[in-house]
Amino acid sequence: MRRAPGDPKASEITPESLWLDRRSFLKAAGLAAAAALSPRLVGAADFAGGEKPTPLDSITAYNNFYEFGTDKESPARYAPKYLKPHPWSVKVEGLVGKPKTWSIEELSKVFPSQERIYRLRCVEAWSAVIPWNGFPLSALLKKAEPKAKAKYVAFQTLYDPKQMPGQNESVLQWPYVEGLRLDEAMHDLTLLATGIYGKPMPAQDGAPIRLVVPWKYGFKSIKSIVSIKLVESQPPTSWNISAPPEYGFYSNVNPEHDHPRWSQSTERRLGELFKRKTLMFNGYSTEVASLYKGMDLDANY
Amino acid sequence: MKALLFLVCLAPLLRLGWRAFHAALGANPVQTVQFQTGLWALNLLLVTLAITPLVKLTGKSALNKYRRMLGVFSYFYALLHFLTYLVLDKFFDFHEIWKDVAKRLWITAGFSCFILLTPLALTSTDGMIRRLGKNWGLLHRLIYPAAILGVVHFLWLVKKDRTAPLEYAAALAVILGARFVLKASDFRR
Ligand code: HEM
């Protein structure tokens, strides 16, 4: 499933961004500890089985981002207008040896951007293939030096109804919060993404920085993050607070555990007419199944 | 007038066709079709139900002429809506469909609504109306439970934001309330 770097299929997609990535990688490699990066991750790495990515205009026109309205078109309409992704900072706090407030510029300087093509499966049974630009969350967490007591990571979206007018409606509790177990957060597939298709993250997709956890339903991949906090016990998560029987803490893609109101066994890729079968862990079983060994995934949905 | 109304009723379908032709149905075209056909089935169902109280309130009995066309178009969109589900969502997987209908109450409601509307559409020809006589009126009372089930279907399917289905519920309540009150006042007269 994984392809080597510079694989023609993957790199054909965005030659321009690949060049930029290479350049920034070389620069970063000169500056920072290049040893942490395995060279095969440079350039576009395909984690989507060679599938063609969804066109950018679909990725930016069809979004769930309730901070800008509850239908799919509102985020594209309002997010670019209201959200101010610059300046922006992200606090890394809680049970860490080195808490720090990072500016976006600093983050992109210290953590070289990679391009990774992932499948994205929404809990609403649609899906897409997205070429993200970003870096593994684990790199940032390691820098913060999590304490032994830290077992979970809690994330928070910006709370500012002026920038996010949807927060004036009480459809969800604001700010949006999400969480991962520490081992999930440290997994190499878990990204902090700052761009798509080599361009800065569009506002409606969670500018300037968002989480990407490709084996979980899309709502786990929290957008427009302002805080990352290491904590001891399982943090509350927005959709779970809103409807516990429908959205669990784990929310791993699981074709065998249906949403109470619809089947999760199939999904429709944006741009396709018929549905296709949904894969366990969204097709990332090889990489992540071991995280859940011995767990009852039907009970821990 | 009737021809104009026919075009108005057809407009949502023409618009869908136009958008499909220009690849402008959005990133998830099938869902757009599913939503639009469902909405228009319900819109026209409510308009159909509103005709009788409107006639009583305004005295414009000419409106009665249009009731049948509105009702049949409502069914037409419900049928397209169901076909979208049957073909594009489930691809004739009747086992899956049966599981959906039995397990998911919102599908049960939509499906029951569709089943109730079917005999109404089938008996909307002049011949059938004549043949059924008094029973036609009895049979067509099925439109009340059908409309309620349609609104319930909508209420139960939304993920979080219930604004739109609640507006439909309110509209239905007003229409049914008006029918009830006007009927009661008929009695008194
Ligand atoms: C034959 C059985 C029916 C089935 C299987 C069915 C199925 C569906 C499905 C799958 C959706 C889309 C849900 C989503 O993607 O979130 C939907 C939406 C909807 N359906 Fe149905 N439906 C049926 C009958 C009806 C009938 C008879 C009506 C109206 C009279 C109706 C009105 C609606 C409405 C208003 C929507 C929502 C549109 C929106 O959200 O904009 N449905 N239905």
Side-chain angles (χ1 to χ4, degrees), chain B residues 34-35 38-39 81-82 85 106 110-111 113-114 153-154 157:
Chain B
Q34 186 88 63
F35 280 2
L39 279 178
H81 184 70
F82 176 66
Y85 171 83
W106 68 279
F111 196 76
C113 172
F114 181 67
H153 168 66
F154 195 5
L157 75 88

Side-chain angles (χ1 to χ4, degrees), chain A residues 124 262, chain B residues 31-32 34-43 45 74-75 77-79 81-83 85-86 89 97 100-101 106-115 117 146-147 149-151 153-154 157-159 164-165 168:
Chain A
E124 296 166 2
W262 58 84
Chain B
Q31 190 181 42
T32 307
Q34 186 88 63
F35 280 2
Q36 287 301 314
T37 51
L39 279 178
W40 281 97
L42 196 55
N43 286 342
L45 193 60
S74 165
Y75 186 74
Y77 283 104
L79 185 65
H81 184 70
F82 176 66
L83 289 176
Y85 171 83
L86 176 72
D89 226 46
I97 291 176
D100 245 10
V101 171
W106 68 279
I107 297 272
T108 320
F111 196 76
S112 313
C113 172
F114 181 67
I115 296 295
L117 290 177
L149 284 165
V151 169
H153 168 66
F154 195 5
L157 75 88
V158 294
K159 197 162 94 183
Y168 277 88

Side-chain angles (χ1 to χ4, degrees), chain A residues 138-172:
Chain A
S138 62
L140 176 63
L141 294 183
K142 275 180 204 151
K143 272 237 154 60
E145 297 176 3
K147 295 186 174 159
K149 271 208 314 211
K151 295 283 180 296
Y152 292 89
V153 185
F155 304 85
Q156 205 178 95
T157 296
L158 174 72
Y159 177 72
D160 180 356
K162 278 208 198 71
Q163 289 191 56
M164 298 183 154
Q167 290 175 335
N168 291 314
E169 312 289 327
S170 55
V171 275
L172 288 174

Side-chain angles (χ1 to χ4, degrees), chain A residues 58 62 64 66 70 123-124 126 171 239 242 247 258-263 265 268 270-271 273-275, chain B residues 26-31 87-91 96 99-100 103-104 106-107 156-162:
Chain A
S58 290
Y62 192 79
N64 276 324
Y66 279 24
T70 54
V123 72
E124 296 166 2
W126 55 270
V171 275
W239 278 100
S242 147
Y247 313 100
D258 283 346
H259 186 280
R261 283 179 288 147
W262 58 84
S263 160
S265 63
R268 181 175 288 112
L270 293 185
L273 201 52
F274 293 103
K275 289 192 163 178
Chain B
N28 195 346
V30 176
Q31 190 181 42
V87 181
L88 298 179
D89 226 46
K90 301 291 174 195
F91 199 65
E96 266 295 314
K99 257 180 37 192
D100 245 10
K103 229 169 85 175
R104 305 186 211 288
W106 68 279
I107 297 272
W156 282 348
L157 75 88
V158 294
K159 197 162 94 183
K160 196 70 214 170
D161 185 357
R162 296 224 154 83

